[in-house]
Amino acid sequence: MTGHGLDVVPAAGWADHVAGLLVDRLAARPDLVVCLPTGSTPLPVYERLPGALAARGVSAGRATIVLLDEFLGLPAGHRARCDVVLGRSVVDRVQPARFIAFDVDALEPAAACAAFEAEVAAVGGLDLVVLGLGRNGHIGMNEPGSAPDAPTRVIELAPSTREAAIGYGVDPPPTHGVTLGMAGILAASEIWLLATGTAKAGILTLTLDGPVSPNVPASVLRGHPGLRVIADDAARPSA
Ligand code: PGA
């Protein structure tokens, strides 16, 4: 393992811990530009965030929230769409100044990626990217094989990602998505990699202690000086 921060927190307090860290960042920088993931891992954090903000008297009203990735082929408003999920779980609750997502309805996917990158650049780039850890080591939809310089782009989803989408209520699941690229993730000042539950312990161990390789895209984060890994004790990497 390299010199990044690794927080292992008891499962019962994990979500409050991460919500508290987000409030710290918003308190220090009210105009924070933060990219957030969907998936099941961060949902308990998002549930606690409004209360954690209120308890500390901190507002997200000047912040920009950026969506990490999006499925292709689902209609606007579909309940499994990432913009819908992040909208309901965070944006509606904390009312940031801006929500940057992928405009896959009005634009062709490649054009939606270009527009997304331009919008992120226009707000000064990402201060913080929060990531879930995929079962196959993906981050966002940067599936195994994604090089560190991979841009924001259209990507074919791996079988395990498609399977997970079935759990979100889409069957058959989408075959493709658009994602903030590896290069965009690595350009952020700070990266938090979240992992919870015993099902993530193996891939977290591989991420932190295996070879740094595009085969496990999350392993590439180890070269970033601002990486913080925040796991619960069930996902604790084995020694
Ligand atoms: P999960 O997904 O949070 O639902 O486990 C993580 C991911 O696949 O990115």
Side-chain angles (χ1 to χ4, degrees), residues 82-129:
C82 299
D83 56 356
V84 170
V85 172
L86 199 69
R88 287 199 183 129
S89 57
V90 183
V91 176
D92 293 352
R93 287 173 172 160
V94 308
Q95 302 280 313
R98 269 184 231 89
F99 177 36
I100 298 176
F102 294 88
D103 190 1
V104 291
D105 302 311
L107 300 173
E108 289 301 314
C113 290
F116 171 92
E117 292 230 307
E119 278 190 78
V120 171
V123 293
L126 299 169
D127 297 311
L128 168 64
V129 180

Side-chain angles (χ1 to χ4, degrees), residues 162-182:
R162 300 189 69 214
E163 259 171 49
I166 294 174
Y168 309 145
V170 218
D171 195 5
T175 58
H176 290 76
V178 288
T179 185
L180 174 67
M182 294 295 294

Side-chain angles (χ1 to χ4, degrees), residues 38-42 69 132-135 138-140 161 164 168 200:
T38 55
S40 57
T41 305
D69 51 19
L133 177 61
R135 285 180 278 176
H138 75 196
I139 42 177
T161 308
Y168 309 145
K200 295 290 172 69

